[in-house]
Amino acid sequence: MVSPLRLFFFLCALGVFSGFGEHTYAGAIYAEQAGRLDWHRESLGKVTDATFLPSWSQRNATVRGVGVITEENVLAVLNQRTGDVVWRKQLESDVTVDRITGAGKQLITLSDERTKVRSWDTKKGALIWEQTFVDTTVVDLKASEDGRYVLVLTTKELVAYGQDGTARGTITLREKDYKATTLGLIMSTGGGGGEALVLGEEMDQLVVAKVKYDPDVELIEVTKQGSKVSDQIRTSYDSALVGSKDKKSVVHVKFGKSGLIKNSHVLPSEASDLRSTQNSEVFYSFADGATTIVSEESSWKLEGLLTPSNTYTVDGTKYVAV
């Protein structure tokens, strides 16, 4: 499994950040890799989102792919090691892709103002299936670890799709006494597969709905965690970072083998921005010229924002901004 920090800095090298605000922060690679393992790919445009994909065999070689979407509406899969384009598609000019994620041998895109979900073959780029949502928008989407299911969370319901795009089951949250505003979705890992958590906010409280999606789709329980939270949230695969109402702390939620783990972290100053990479357990807060990195158990404060030519040492590992 790719380590969270390694993943973050790889995506930084592509210029990928997901978060609130209009600021652009520099990317980074490992210091010892500068000039040796970094690459730049032209003809694609500025990358706005990226996701790592499972490896596959091609011409007696193993390809480790990364899916990207750019400002120029180019959807592509690149060879992670060389930067070579495996395939690329120029999407319609009136289509804006909000995010992408991997699902086994498929690459999932969310577009059309968060109303359309499409699935693409990671090797060839062929469209496999698509679903359009009416009178609602997609809040979050995640794929199971084995890629057999794609869970789509909207403002009204949670739908589990199979590999062929068939809806395997639907939970209409409002009919299940879930009154919270849906914020995000995280998946269970480490032996707890087949379950997910729907995170929401109701009267400033964090509300968690535990659901099962394999083999049947059903709501297990709804609990209120008592944390005073806002609607600012960033989710990775099995973790989420939720901002507090006063912007002075964050709640880190993780869903693993032992169930729900919740930690609170006080920020060094009032957070002006929360960010994360889609596949990482590590999250970032920006305020007063400093970057705070928050992980499951602790946080690190970097003196200064991620800016060009700065070198950082985090937990004994050196990184350089580029």
Side-chain angles (χ1 to χ4, degrees):
M1 179 178 290
V2 179
S3 69
L5 283 176
R6 181 181 293 272
L7 173 60
F8 164 64
F9 284 102
F10 179 90
L11 296 183
C12 281
L14 291 176
V16 179
F17 267 106
S18 172
F20 301 97
E22 299 178 354
H23 304 290
T24 299
Y25 297 90
I29 59 175
Y30 284 93
E32 67 271 16
Q33 294 176 342
R36 182 168 60 89
L37 296 180
D38 47 326
W39 45 259
H40 174 72
R41 170 55 55 194
E42 297 180 351
S43 76
L44 291 177
K46 181 181 179 182
V47 173
T48 58
D49 199 5
T51 184
F52 283 143
L53 302 171
S55 59
W56 69 86
S57 297
Q58 182 174 302
R59 299 174 184 173
N60 298 321
T62 299
V63 177
R64 291 179 173 84
V66 56
V68 300
I69 186 69
T70 73
E71 285 185 345
E72 285 69 24
N73 252 18
V74 175
L75 178 67
V77 169
L78 311 179
N79 186 312
Q80 185 187 140
R81 183 178 63 84
T82 64
D84 292 340
V85 177
V86 179
W87 58 263
R88 67 190 295 276
K89 284 188 177 295
Q90 180 67 60
L91 302 181
E92 305 95 316
S93 59
D94 59 343
V95 172
T96 299
V97 177
D98 297 287
R99 56 170 294 199
I100 60 177
T101 190
K105 297 178 181 180
Q106 300 179 28
L107 177 64
I108 309 297
T109 60
L110 173 62
S111 62
D112 293 46
E113 298 182 341
R114 308 183 76 87
T115 62
K116 179 173 290 186
V117 177
R118 286 174 168 173
S119 174
W120 310 82
D121 182 89
T122 57
K123 296 181 182 180
K124 304 294 184 180
L127 178 64
I128 300 175
W129 57 266
E130 69 175 46
Q131 296 288 342
T132 301
F133 295 85
V134 180
D135 298 328
T136 187
T137 56
V138 176
V139 175
D140 202 357
L141 58 85
K142 296 286 192 303
S144 60
E145 287 186 294
D146 56 12
R148 293 171 53 226
Y149 295 91
V150 175
L151 271 62
V152 179
L153 175 66
T154 74
T155 56
K156 298 179 179 180
E157 59 190 12
L158 177 70
V159 187
Y161 292 99
Q163 291 176 312
D164 60 355
T166 302
R168 300 296 179 86
T170 301
I171 298 174
T172 305
L173 296 170
R174 297 292 177 175
E175 295 178 357
K176 299 294 185 179
D177 200 33
Y178 188 85
K179 303 294 191 293
T181 300
T182 52
L183 299 178
L185 175 70
I186 59 177
M187 309 289 279
S188 176
T189 60
E195 296 180 344
L197 296 181
V198 176
L199 305 181
E201 179 267 332
E202 180 183 358
M203 302 293 291
D204 298 341
Q205 281 193 311
L206 178 63
V207 182
V208 178
K210 186 177 181 181
V211 300
K212 181 180 179 182
Y213 61 86
D214 185 15
D216 301 314
V217 180
E218 60 181 303
L219 179 66
I220 299 175
E221 62 178 350
V222 177
T223 59
K224 293 185 178 180
Q225 298 299 312
S227 303
K228 294 291 184 179
V229 298
S230 66
D231 59 358
Q232 289 194 0
I233 185 173
R234 283 293 171 265
T235 64
S236 68
Y237 187 78
D238 63 349
S239 300
L241 189 73
V242 188
S244 63
K245 292 292 288 186
D246 59 9
K247 298 183 179 181
K248 294 181 180 179
S249 63
V250 291
V251 178
H252 185 273
V253 180
K254 182 178 176 65
F255 190 27
K257 186 176 181 179
S258 57
L260 175 66
I261 301 172
K262 187 180 71 171
N263 292 313
S264 296
H265 299 275
V266 177
L267 299 174
S269 56
E270 185 174 306
S272 59
D273 193 8
L274 294 177
R275 298 186 177 215
S276 75
T277 57
Q278 296 292 352
N279 302 59
S280 176
E281 297 176 358
V282 181
F283 302 84
Y284 313 87
S285 165
F286 300 92
D288 297 338
T291 302
T292 300
I293 299 180
V294 182
S295 73
E296 178 183 345
E297 298 178 348
S298 59
S299 62
W300 307 278
K301 180 180 178 182
L302 303 182
E303 298 299 330
L305 295 171
L306 294 177
T307 53
S309 75
N310 285 345
T311 300
Y312 305 106
T313 300
V314 177
D315 212 26
T317 302
K318 183 178 287 187
Y319 304 92
V320 59
V322 295

